[in-house]
Amino acid sequence: MITLSYKGKNTFLEAVNKKSGSDVLECYQCGKCVSTCPVSNFMDFPPREIMQMIKLELKEETQMANSTWFCLTCSACSGRCPREINIPAVMEAVRHLAIEENFHPDSKQVKNIRKFHEIFLDMIKRYGRNYELRMMAEFNIRTRNLFKDMHLAPKALLKGKIPLGVKSVKSAKAIKKMYEMAEKLEQQNK
Amino acid sequence: MKKVTYFPGCSAHGTSEEFDLTVKMVMKTLDVEMEEIPDWNCCGATSAHTMNESLAYALPLRNLVLAEKLSNDTMTIPCASCYQRLKVTKVHMDENPELAKKINTTIVEEGNYKGRVAVKSMLQYCYEDIGLDAIKAKVISPISGMKLACYYGCLLTRPKSITQFDSPEYPMSMDNIVEALGAKAMLFDFKTECCGASFSISDTDIVLQLSGKILEMAKESGAQAIVVACPLCQSNLDMRQGDIEKKYKVKYNLPVFYLTQLMAMAFGFPKEKMMFSKHIVPVDGALAHIGEVIEEPKKPAKAKKAVKAESEVE
């Protein structure tokens, strides 16, 4: 097994380590994370392989994999990792680097997940809080799947499970400003 | 009378209104006055930390700063996801003042973060600050006879470094509370498995598989119902249960209660006030078990003797 890495400046490994606050080189490939991860069977590469790919500087392959988008940040893996690596933070670091550098995995599932998050953040930007019904409707429209979950609609709406409106925040301006400032900070981080 | 700051979270005004309502009923009974954070905003949930690190800190930070304007030194949050985001932000800001300063620039008008207010989930607040004895003292109509699987989900006890509460593998706080209410908490191995969370909308198949396994294990434990303390867990296990039964050709019929609904019932509030009508899986079957006598399996007498013999040797 290859465990050597190109440790040095400006490597993918260094970038991930810096962003995650963990040292991926600590990983000794035991695979405990894979057996713990509830979504590893949906991933192109399970967490253990992602760790090895980072060590081997397989940047593009790692960034284009759906793995980091499927991570639920449930922290089951890191709780059991014998090397105490914060694996969800590593997954997140890889994902954030991918967003910054415009890597777009082709899979439809990843595109949907990404769209969902964009719509969710858009709802908060507009209302300061999540408008659940509108979020679901926009997701269906933007993913061109109008009838998704429609079988639940009569039950969920009639029973009042999902209310029709939203109580938005009063200081909408403060939220908009926060979004602008956060975007600036993200640009500085690049 | 205790006082605590309250952060309801978006779902309290949406899918989990009944959670919010029963938290208020329970806290009032337990002599706790809750003060809602004025003009709180969404914590950003999974989406913010998936897409934008700065925003993932900024959204919860505004709530933390607003909470510091109230005089209470503890904040309690019913939603597990909100709790996780606010607690992560608090821990990271407290550990790294430089980062706190940087993120604070996004909310200049609200003021500076000081780190004065402790952040606790509703479960943690009930367990640590109120305590089992105080809960027991308020029980007037025990829910004895109910067999329950307590499901914590991933965010209430994990990661340990953030939550500093209960066990990340096999927590017992909720089990102890339902036992204090008179019910029987079953041995349940999937207490902290993930339900699939927000994939409910973006990739439903994942939720059907993950939540399906949790329902399967809960059924196997002998439980008549599941107890949760998280709005997303509730809606995945309850609203998606029909889809799961259809996909895997099984029948569970397991209602999913919020812990506070059961607490309020045991505290003597009438059933009609729990908003059970919002539940997709009907709850009446499980509630009908209240008052039944659960027969405990007899412990083998021989094994006991053997233990005694060993201690005598010592």
Side-chain angles (χ1 to χ4, degrees):
Chain A
M1 188 175 67
I2 308 164
T3 48
L4 288 173
S5 85
Y6 308 95
K7 198 163 186 177
K9 272 182 185 165
N10 298 323
T11 60
F12 183 48
L13 173 76
E14 287 297 303
V16 172
N17 280 355
K18 196 179 157 214
K19 231 182 165 78
S20 66
S22 267
D23 188 357
V24 176
L25 272 185
E26 291 281 306
C27 172
Y28 56 30
Q29 294 284 297
C30 70
K32 212 164 197 174
C33 49
V34 189
S35 47
T36 299
C37 179
V39 282
S40 58
N41 59 330
F42 292 98
M43 291 176 170
D44 291 338
F45 305 100
R48 180 187 66 83
E49 288 178 28
I50 292 288
M51 295 290 147
Q52 192 70 354
M53 285 159 74
I54 297 168
K55 286 191 212 169
L56 296 173
E57 287 293 316
L58 297 172
K59 182 174 171 177
E60 198 173 326
E61 289 85 341
T62 316
Q63 307 277 53
M64 289 299 280
N66 66 11
S67 309
T68 62
W69 291 92
F70 279 144
C71 171
L72 285 151
T73 331
C74 76
S75 302
C77 52
S78 51
R80 291 175 189 167
C81 174
R83 305 295 282 164
E84 293 181 17
I85 299 171
N86 190 347
I87 302 161
V90 171
M91 294 296 228
E92 191 141 297
V94 172
R95 192 188 329 109
H96 285 163
L97 288 169
I99 293 172
E100 279 172 23
E101 295 173 23
N102 276 321
F103 281 96
H104 288 274
D106 303 319
S107 114
K108 193 174 173 231
Q109 283 167 304
V110 173
K111 281 179 186 159
N112 282 354
I113 292 168
R114 201 168 173 156
K115 240 173 226 158
F116 168 81
H117 293 312
E118 282 164 6
I119 294 167
F120 192 98
L121 291 177
D122 205 35
M123 290 294 121
I124 309 173
K125 192 178 182 179
R126 250 189 274 178
Y127 305 106
R129 293 177 191 166
N130 182 20
Y131 187 172
E132 290 164 335
L133 188 64
R134 179 150 188 179
M135 176 191 71
M136 291 176 200
E138 288 217 5
F139 181 78
N140 284 6
I141 293 167
R142 286 215 233 162
T143 53
R144 301 210 173 95
N145 188 0
L146 284 183
F147 299 105
K148 183 182 181 294
D149 291 335
M150 273 306 174
H151 62 291
L152 290 174
K155 268 189 182 172
L157 294 178
L158 285 177
K159 287 187 166 222
K161 177 85 186 160
I162 303 167
L164 299 172
V166 64
K167 285 182 200 161
S168 44
V169 294
K170 286 181 207 117
S171 28
K173 265 189 191 165
I175 304 291
K176 288 215 169 67
K177 192 160 180 213
M178 179 204 290
Y179 266 68
E180 279 164 28
M181 293 303 290
E183 202 45 57
K184 261 186 205 165
L185 285 181
E186 285 294 289
Q187 295 299 328
Q188 282 169 20
N189 283 346
K190 273 190 189 178
Chain B
M1 180 171 258
K2 277 193 176 105
K3 271 185 87 177
V4 71
T5 300
Y6 183 51
F7 179 83
C10 303
S11 52
H13 293 173
T15 41
S16 75
E17 249 177 315
E18 64 272 44
F19 195 14
D20 177 58
L21 182 93
T22 49
V23 166
K24 285 175 179 156
M25 281 153 63
V26 163
M27 290 299 178
K28 207 172 171 191
T29 312
L30 293 165
D31 298 317
V32 178
E33 191 189 325
M34 296 205 296
E35 224 178 324
E36 190 168 319
I37 300 176
D39 210 35
W40 54 269
N41 59 270
C42 174
C43 68
T46 317
S47 299
H49 79 81
T50 303
M51 303 294 293
N52 184 327
E53 198 184 357
S54 306
L55 200 56
Y57 285 133
L59 285 161
L61 190 70
R62 180 172 178 271
N63 295 313
L64 291 172
V65 169
L66 292 178
E68 284 175 359
K69 293 185 179 168
L70 304 174
S71 57
N72 316 318
D73 48 22
T74 308
M75 174 198 312
T76 189
I77 306 171
C79 170
S81 181
C82 300
Y83 160 67
Q84 175 86 194
R85 290 324 307 160
L86 265 74
K87 191 74 197 277
V88 164
T89 306
K90 182 182 165 52
V91 171
H92 288 180
M93 297 300 126
D94 292 350
E95 273 172 3
N96 188 347
E98 223 167 88
L99 179 68
K101 228 178 177 178
K102 203 167 104 186
I103 302 296
N104 222 148
T105 59
T106 62
I107 49 160
V108 179
E109 277 166 42
E110 277 78 1
N112 284 330
Y113 172 74
K114 296 181 198 77
R116 186 180 60 78
V117 180
V119 177
K120 292 189 174 189
S121 68
M122 187 276 310
L123 174 66
Q124 186 178 10
Y125 187 76
C126 282
Y127 198 68
E128 287 179 346
D129 293 52
I130 297 171
L132 282 178
D133 292 335
I135 294 171
K136 234 181 213 162
K138 296 286 178 187
V139 175
I140 54 170
S141 51
I143 52 166
S144 51
M146 285 186 95
K147 292 180 185 171
L148 303 168
C150 292
Y151 173 64
Y152 300 70
C154 29
L155 300 176
L156 285 173
T157 61
R158 271 200 313 252
K160 184 88 181 163
S161 58
I162 299 290
T163 63
Q164 298 291 338
F165 170 62
D166 215 338
S167 156
E169 291 284 349
Y170 202 79
M172 282 303 287
S173 49
M174 207 193 306
D175 295 63
N176 291 338
I177 292 177
V178 300
E179 298 238 318
L181 305 177
K184 184 172 167 57
M186 307 305 285
L187 290 172
F188 174 43
D189 283 342
F190 268 43
K191 279 181 178 184
T192 57
E193 286 297 314
C194 183
C195 70
S198 66
F199 285 151
S200 186
I201 291 168
S202 52
D203 202 330
T204 313
D205 271 349
I206 293 183
V207 167
L208 298 189
Q209 192 186 99
L210 268 50
S211 291
K213 282 184 190 167
I214 294 161
L215 290 168
E216 180 74 33
M217 286 304 282
K219 196 81 191 173
E220 214 162 274
S221 78
Q224 299 142 350
I226 299 175
V227 194
V228 297
C230 168
L232 205 48
C233 299
Q234 203 278 344
S235 81
N236 278 345
L237 294 175
D238 183 45
M239 205 159 72
R240 297 278 175 205
Q241 198 172 127
D243 292 349
I244 292 164
E245 289 177 336
K246 214 167 148 191
K247 185 173 176 190
Y248 297 106
K249 298 188 181 64
V250 281
K251 203 80 196 142
Y252 294 124
N253 195 23
L254 280 169
V256 186
F257 293 103
Y258 286 110
L259 174 64
T260 46
Q261 284 178 313
L262 295 178
M263 287 170 87
M265 282 196 56
F267 293 168
F269 287 93
K271 208 177 91 178
E272 292 71 38
K273 288 208 165 169
M274 308 300 156
M275 291 177 98
F276 287 141
S277 58
K278 280 189 73 179
H279 289 234
I280 307 291
V281 179
V283 298
D284 289 335
L287 293 179
H289 291 287
I290 294 178
E292 279 177 10
V293 179
I294 300 172
E295 276 180 41
E296 291 292 328
K298 279 176 195 159
K299 280 172 194 164
K302 266 187 188 171
K304 241 183 186 173
K305 262 185 194 166
V307 174
K308 231 182 192 177
E310 253 181 41
S311 61
E312 273 162 14
V313 173
E314 277 181 21

